[in-house]
Amino acid sequence: MAEQQPSHRFERGTDGPKVIVVGVDGSDSSLRAASYAGGLARRQHSLLAVVYVQPVMAAGAALGAPVAETTDQIAEDLVTQIRDAAERVKDIFAVRWEFHTFRGDPYNGLVTAADELKADAVVVGASEQAGHRIIGSVAIRLVKAGRWPVTVVP
């Protein structure tokens, strides 16, 4: 006698992403992406993983530029901005969020972050650099990877 499999019912509000990764770098488009991802996380009751990828610039370091200090300061500034924004809206709605930093180029850093954090969705801002129209932006590369749903915020 064959065993009957339990039927799976759709439950409203429980089938959305559990972890949403958003890439931030301080640019206007990345901050808009963070706002969009925050709203999505709130509505879906998801964890918002805010990720800053610290660039590794061997050439800058060779020229004596304080690269590590600069990128650490950017990360600290981003955490401060995010904490301030979360504090301003805490009485309106609560969003569970974490801040993570990874080192490397933006694309590989976000891929690593999404894999390690077990992302169900990735949100990024549209590139503000003209050269990316020719070479391809991080957002386009993430979409082409086809590993997670990717939302690109203008």
Side-chain angles (χ1 to χ4, degrees), residues 37-63:
L40 183 61
R42 177 185 58 82
R43 289 186 299 279
Q44 296 291 331
H45 306 289
S46 304
L47 172 65
L48 177 63
V50 181
V51 174
Y52 169 62
V53 180
Q54 292 181 308
V56 177
M57 297 183 208
L63 296 174

Side-chain angles (χ1 to χ4, degrees), residues 95-142:
V95 174
R96 293 181 307 125
W97 65 276
E98 301 172 347
F99 184 82
H100 300 270
T101 59
F102 289 82
R103 290 195 183 272
D105 68 274
Y107 170 75
N108 287 312
L110 285 172
V111 167
T112 300
D115 285 344
E116 288 185 15
L117 300 171
K118 298 182 180 15
D120 296 302
V122 177
V123 180
V124 292
S127 176
E128 295 179 353
Q129 297 180 359
H132 286 171
R133 292 188 187 108
I134 299 166
I135 303 168
S137 68
V138 171
I140 290 171
R141 293 174 65 195
L142 289 168

Side-chain angles (χ1 to χ4, degrees), residues 65 78 87 90 100 145:
L78 289 169
E87 185 66 26
K90 75 176 185 177
H100 300 270

Side-chain angles (χ1 to χ4, degrees), residues 24-32 78 125-126 128:
V24 295
D25 61 6
S27 67
D28 288 344
S29 66
S30 78
L31 296 177
R32 284 190 299 271
L78 289 169
E128 295 179 353

